[in-house]
Structures are given as structure tokens and as C-alpha cells.
Amino acid sequence: ISGPVNTHKDIKQVIGQTQLHGYGIGSEVIPTEDGREFKYLGIWYEAQPGWQKQIKVLKEKHETLINHLRCRKIPLPIVTYLINTKIIPTIKYPLQVAQIPMHIMENWDKKHRAVVRRVAALAKDTPTDIFHLPEEEGGLGLPKLPRCLLTDRWHLFMEG
């Protein structure tokens, strides 16, 4: 298929081609009713330019994960560990392919800092660099999401 995928029939054709070439093994392509978007390997693809569906899904997923940390009394090392090993990788995986505006990632960083600030009982005017410095340098060890994603994309580009 050349050009954008516009109909449910086109998506079925793409699915058929994918399975013929062996790329559908162990994964499932899930089209929506109108055929304008489909999910493949955990990432939502759309016929229209942009990643609006994927952005919406990621926002909801991030909000759900961060709310689990907001509502509980958890020690600081555990909170930073959960952010670094559960929330950030969950968000990073689809962003290997999908593009998302920087302001959304910066907003997620603010939410991470707010949770850590609450748990550690830090003042609101604590410099943001303290949160993002490595623990060995006296920081709290949270990565900056935009920098983290750009670094990962650079590594994928250099390996490919």
C-alpha cells in the first residue's frame, strides 16, 4: 500500500501483508471500528498525521501510574526507584516510534518532581537540578524525560 491508510479494508490489507512477511508473529494488530487507527506492538498508529491517539493513551497511562504514587506513603528511595523503573520505561517504549511535544514530557517531569517533593518533604522552591542530579552527586536520581528520550533515539540511530 502506498500513501496513507484510510479504510478498514486498507488496514486488513496491511495486516495480511505483515503476516505474509512474518512480522505478525507473536503480536496482534488491533484496528478500531472506523479503520482510521490501529494498535501494533503497543503503539497506536493513525491514518492522519500526528500521534493524537498515542498521546492520549500515554497521558492516561502516566496519570494512572503517577496517581498510585501520589496516594500512598512510600519511602523516597522506593518512589524514585518506581519512577525510574516502571513509569519512565512504560512511557519511553512507545516514544521510540511516536513523536510527542516537549511540553508534555516536561509536564510529566514536573509531576515526577511533585511526587518526590511531597515524599521527601522538600520546599517548593527546591532547585529542579537537585531532582535530576545522579545520587552519587548528591541529587535524587530522576532522569529528565526529554533528554532521556533524545539520548535513546540517538543510540537507536547509531546502532541502526
Side-chain angles (χ1 to χ4, degrees):
I1 294 175
S2 60
V5 177
N6 290 321
T7 65
H8 192 67
K9 180 182 172 187
D10 290 341
I11 290 176
K12 284 185 178 181
Q13 188 177 357
V14 170
I15 293 168
Q17 289 175 357
T18 301
Q19 290 171 346
L20 284 175
H21 293 294
Y23 297 114
I25 297 171
S27 60
E28 186 177 348
V29 179
I30 305 168
T32 56
E33 288 297 320
D34 64 358
R36 294 217 162 263
E37 50 198 29
F38 63 95
K39 184 177 181 180
Y40 181 66
L41 294 175
I43 301 170
W44 282 96
Y45 295 88
E46 301 172 63
Q48 300 296 323
W51 295 92
Q52 298 310 311
K53 173 77 173 181
Q54 185 64 50
I55 291 170
K56 179 182 172 196
V57 168
L58 283 175
K59 282 182 176 180
E60 290 169 358
K61 190 176 288 189
H62 183 268
E63 197 61 33
T64 302
L65 291 170
I66 205 78
N67 280 339
H68 288 299
L69 298 179
R70 281 188 187 137
C71 302
R72 291 182 171 80
K73 188 172 182 172
I74 305 172
L76 178 62
I78 303 298
V79 168
T80 55
Y81 176 79
L82 289 172
I83 290 172
N84 289 339
T85 60
K86 176 63 179 170
I87 295 176
I88 291 177
T90 300
I91 298 301
K92 278 176 40 176
Y93 172 73
L95 296 180
Q96 293 177 40
V97 176
Q99 300 291 319
I100 191 167
M102 282 293 209
H103 69 87
I104 293 174
M105 290 186 285
E106 290 166 355
N107 188 24
W108 289 339
D109 273 344
K110 286 180 189 176
K111 290 179 181 184
H112 298 169
R113 288 191 300 265
V115 168
V116 171
R117 185 178 288 120
R118 182 190 60 79
V119 167
L122 297 172
K124 283 192 174 187
D125 60 352
T126 304
T128 58
D129 292 340
I130 297 292
F131 294 93
H132 300 293
L133 278 174
E135 291 178 2
E136 301 82 37
E137 296 178 22
L140 296 173
L142 289 177
K144 284 187 178 181
L145 224 92
R147 174 180 282 166
C148 193
L149 290 170
L150 290 174
T151 304
D152 287 353
R153 283 197 182 136
W154 183 81
H155 284 293
L156 286 172
F157 174 75
M158 294 306 287
E159 290 173 1

